[in-house]
Amino acid sequence: MAYALQQLINGVTLGMIYGLIAVGYTMVYGIIGMINFAHGDVFMIGAFVSLVSLLGLAALGVSAVPLALGLTLLGAVAISALYGWAIERLAYRPLRGSFRLAPLISAIGMSIALENYVQVVQGARVKPLAPVVPGGLTLMTEGSFAVQLGWMQVVIVVVTLAVLALFTWLVTKTPLGRAMRACEQDLKMAALLGIDTDRTISLTFVIGAALAAVAGLLFLLYYGSIDFFVGFIAGVKAFTAAVLGGVGSLPGAVLGGLLIGLIETIWSAYFSVQYKDVAAFSILAVALIFMPTGLLGRADVEKV
Amino acid sequence: MSDALLTLAGVSTFYGAVQALKSVDLVVREGEIVTLIGANGAGKSTLMMTICGNPRARAGRITYAGDDITALPTHLIMRRAIAHAPEGRRIFPRMTVRENLLMGAQSAPEAAGAFERVLALFPRLAERIGQRGGTLSGGEQQMLAIARALMSRPRLLLLDEPSLGLAPMIVRQIFAAIRALNRDQGLTVLLVEQNAFQALKLAHRGYVLVNGAITMEGSGMELLRRPEVRSAYLEGSA
């Protein structure tokens, strides 16, 4: 019982991070109908910028943790957003209107380029970070097993929920969000209403990248170590989460992220850590056989 | 002519190698209702979309309010008080009626009061204001498409087959609304219709498009009396 509760806490924490990345995949898919294969690497960039920023601030003598984290968050979001914008500009926009596979290939190229760039600049070894938010609560003890809720886990859940709330408000209530949804539903009509569709697509990449940067910072703080390849693995997981939730659906991305996080954690706890990815992807495969549009995806039928 | 609001001079449009418009000359003067009639596939919708810059004219010049708009990107053309209610309505199915209307005013600087105005014109939409566009009936969707186009307070309204698939009573309502907007607010309208009889009765002037080329032009009444127009487009529809 206590062990299960602990796995639930760990799974939700991990799932939140996957959910944040998955939202970026699903947003871009919604608006241009293509998967941004470089998205996982934006997450990795976010994690690296966070690492450099935290170490730099520590070296400068900024000892207040909330201040350091706040500044790091802003810096990581700003720089990653710039990367997101550049990816769209370089790998997608010049190929708009060309055959469908072309931007997919250029995005994969972009992903490889980013990974190798970080490998060259930062080195290939794993980069450690001492715990920034240590400690936690002991929720209950059962025999010799104590259920721990780390402060870091609380921070991850609270930050993720706050970011998702802000993002939901942006998409549902603001003119920019409305323009994004209009472009998603009918790009040509949006242009006929005076919407600058190129700019809206750019902003979609930028917002997705900003969310990935938040996830990158949280991932770094949670695991305390990153390398240039984290974006690939987390990216594939988050992509799986987006597909499981129903690609194109924003709540679906978060739900899918939570499920993948839980499946992975619970499988590792009760069966074997080595096969956790097999478990996650098998469940995805089975789910898609019975629900091809994902959990919250919509079948493409509209009344005409 | 100094009072021409929209002028097409020698406009040709291609889809790949296929020529859809062949050197079209057309003038819409301020305050006019001009209709474009022609068979299916004659290029009527292509002509409307070419004015909006998508597809772009490969030859010729499009002038609006004295400015050459031929090479402008679509969204910048549409920000010049031109509105288009295109073929197939193209409302946003997963947005509410209210959001669909707001999209119409999104890029217009002076949209104050537009909401009340269009809802007064189409009271049916006020009843459906919170409903998703995709759940509306065909007639309601058509009203929504026109209302959305009017939200930006356009000077020139492009209307592509507003009567398509609608019950005769709703068609009469829509045509009455167009006439009222033209008479009371001086709205200039370029109307594409397959219902040639009604369109020619409503319009000040008309053009006949055959295989991408203009073959006839004249006042609405004049065209109505032409035997070749009658036999090609009016038999059985009056």
Side-chain angles (χ1 to χ4, degrees), chain A residues 18 229-238 277 281:
Chain A
Y18 287 156
F229 207 56
V230 287
F232 178 76
I233 295 154
V236 170
K237 293 281 175 52
D277 296 348
F281 292 125

Side-chain angles (χ1 to χ4, degrees), chain B residues 32-50:
Chain B
E32 262 188 330
I33 300 179
V34 172
T35 188
L36 191 62
I37 59 175
N40 281 333
K44 304 183 300 278
S45 298
T46 301
L47 193 153
M48 299 289 251
M49 289 303 290
T50 303

Side-chain angles (χ1 to χ4, degrees), chain A residues 303, chain B residues 89 91 97 101 122-128 131-148 165-166 170 173-174:
Chain A
K303 191 172 173 182
Chain B
R89 306 188 274 262
I91 56 153
V97 169
L101 292 174
F122 298 108
R124 188 62 170 275
L125 293 178
E127 297 165 27
R128 299 268 184 270
Q131 226 169 292
R132 278 149 70 102
T135 67
L136 300 184
S137 73
E140 289 165 344
Q141 289 190 0
Q142 188 62 63
M143 291 179 196
L144 180 55
I146 298 172
R148 180 179 61 184
L166 299 186
I170 298 174
Q173 275 175 23
I174 287 178

Side-chain angles (χ1 to χ4, degrees), chain A residues 7 26 69 76 90 111 117 127 157 159 170 178-179 207 212 235 290 301:
Chain A
Q7 299 318 320
T26 223
L69 286 182
L90 295 173
S111 160
Y117 155 66
K127 302 280 176 299
V157 172
V159 169
L170 176 87
R178 205 159 52 226
I207 293 167
F290 293 104
V301 263

Side-chain angles (χ1 to χ4, degrees), chain A residues 80-273:
Chain A
S80 303
L82 202 63
Y83 273 90
W85 179 82
I87 288 171
E88 196 273 332
R89 246 342 181 7
L90 295 173
Y92 283 91
R93 192 175 298 184
L95 294 170
R96 202 164 294 154
S98 98
F99 68 105
R100 270 182 73 81
L101 274 179
L104 224 59
I105 294 164
S106 67
I108 291 172
M110 190 58 100
S111 160
I112 295 169
L114 286 174
E115 279 168 25
N116 284 281
Y117 155 66
V118 173
Q119 188 182 3
V120 167
V121 175
Q122 295 289 332
R125 266 174 304 175
V126 172
K127 302 280 176 299
L129 179 74
V132 178
V133 187
L137 273 179
T138 302
L139 292 183
M140 60 184 279
T141 39
E142 198 178 81
S144 63
F145 188 83
V147 179
Q148 298 280 346
L149 175 64
W151 293 130
M152 194 56 237
Q153 292 178 312
V154 176
V155 168
I156 288 175
V157 172
V158 169
V159 169
T160 305
L161 290 179
V163 167
L164 288 178
L166 182 71
F167 171 73
T168 306
W169 171 80
L170 176 87
V171 170
T172 55
K173 297 281 190 274
T174 64
L176 171 63
R178 205 159 52 226
M180 284 166 60
R181 284 180 291 139
C183 289
E184 182 219 315
Q185 294 177 33
D186 191 338
L187 200 61
K188 202 166 166 186
M189 188 63 225
L192 285 179
L193 293 170
I195 303 296
D196 185 344
T197 51
D198 278 344
R199 181 172 162 272
T200 308
I201 291 172
S202 269
L203 283 170
T204 304
F205 274 81
V206 163
I207 293 167
L211 294 178
V214 176
L217 169 63
L218 296 178
F219 183 90
L220 169 72
L221 293 172
Y222 193 43
Y223 287 103
S225 72
I226 51 169
D227 60 28
F228 68 94
F229 207 56
V230 287
F232 178 76
I233 295 154
V236 170
K237 293 281 175 52
F239 171 56
T240 308
V243 174
L244 181 62
V247 76
S249 157
L250 297 174
V254 178
L255 179 67
L258 281 175
L259 283 174
I260 295 286
L262 282 170
I263 291 165
E264 200 181 305
T265 311
I266 288 169
W267 185 276
S268 309
Y270 289 96
F271 301 103
S272 83
V273 182

